[in-house]
Amino acid sequence: MKLNSLSSFLILILAGIFLSCSNAKKKESIQEAKDETESETERHLAEMTARVKWPWVEAKETPIDSLDIKIDNLSTPELEQSFDIVKDSVFILSVDEFNMARNLVKKHFDSIDTSVGNDSIDDSKKPFPYNYYFKQYIGYKEKDGKRLVYVNMFTSWQTPNGWARELKDKWLMVYDGGKSFGHIIVDIEKKEVKSLYIHGY
């Protein structure tokens, strides 16, 4: 009887120790996750604070041969957040694909009405001219395997150095800022512009 009582007592002690260790590990994991989140938040706030001091670079004041940028980095988190695509479907364009898409975008702008103003209702519905936008190019595949190009468009961005070439590794998040933001979808198999979307256009 005493042996059974002792065994039960030892089992209760061991169970208590196990639960205590388990709870300690959970608390440690929660604390680590919290610290990581706080660290990421602090980093993001520091970057945003620094960004406020960075100068704005306007596309219309940038040499035209620096406005079209081929994305060379698929690992930036902003890329996945910007538009709904399957991660594995994104690909870096070849030089030939990039050049073809850029020429199609240029010809498309040459064939539509644009406006440098934004004062009248009519002007607000027209995109700015080709040289008013920075354009980032990235390839992606639809579910049926069709290869397309997503062209991210914006009129300006903030950078500490003022270099457009930095946009090869930095996907700019697009916000609703009127016709200063937009995108174009290019079908590189049919060699045509599928759609042009400008906020307010």
Side-chain angles (χ1 to χ4, degrees), residues 10 19 39 54 56-57 62 69 74 77-78 100 103 108 116 123 128-129 135 152 155 159 175-176 178:
L10 288 173
L19 287 173
S39 176
W54 295 351
W56 281 97
V57 180
T62 303
I69 300 110
L74 301 182
E78 292 84 4
M100 181 178 64
N103 291 336
H108 189 74
V116 297
D123 283 339
F128 289 117
K135 294 169 286 297
N152 190 28
T155 56
T159 170
Y175 302 99
D176 186 1

Side-chain angles (χ1 to χ4, degrees), residues 64-65 67-69 93-111 130 135 137 149 151 184-188 191-193:
I64 196 165
D65 59 355
L67 297 180
D68 297 270
I69 300 110
L93 297 169
S94 69
V95 174
D96 288 342
E97 289 171 332
F98 168 67
N99 288 333
M100 181 178 64
R102 180 181 55 186
N103 291 336
L104 289 170
V105 169
K106 178 70 167 64
K107 286 179 182 177
H108 189 74
F109 265 92
D110 290 342
S111 69
Y130 174 85
K135 294 169 286 297
Y137 295 70
V149 180
V151 185
I184 290 178
I185 303 296
V186 176
D187 187 329
I188 53 178
K191 298 182 180 179
E192 64 182 18
V193 170

Side-chain angles (χ1 to χ4, degrees), residues 27-39:
K27 286 180 182 177
E28 187 178 329
S29 296
I30 291 170
Q31 186 60 44
E32 286 176 358
K34 183 179 177 184
D35 291 344
E36 188 176 333
T37 301
E38 288 177 354
S39 176

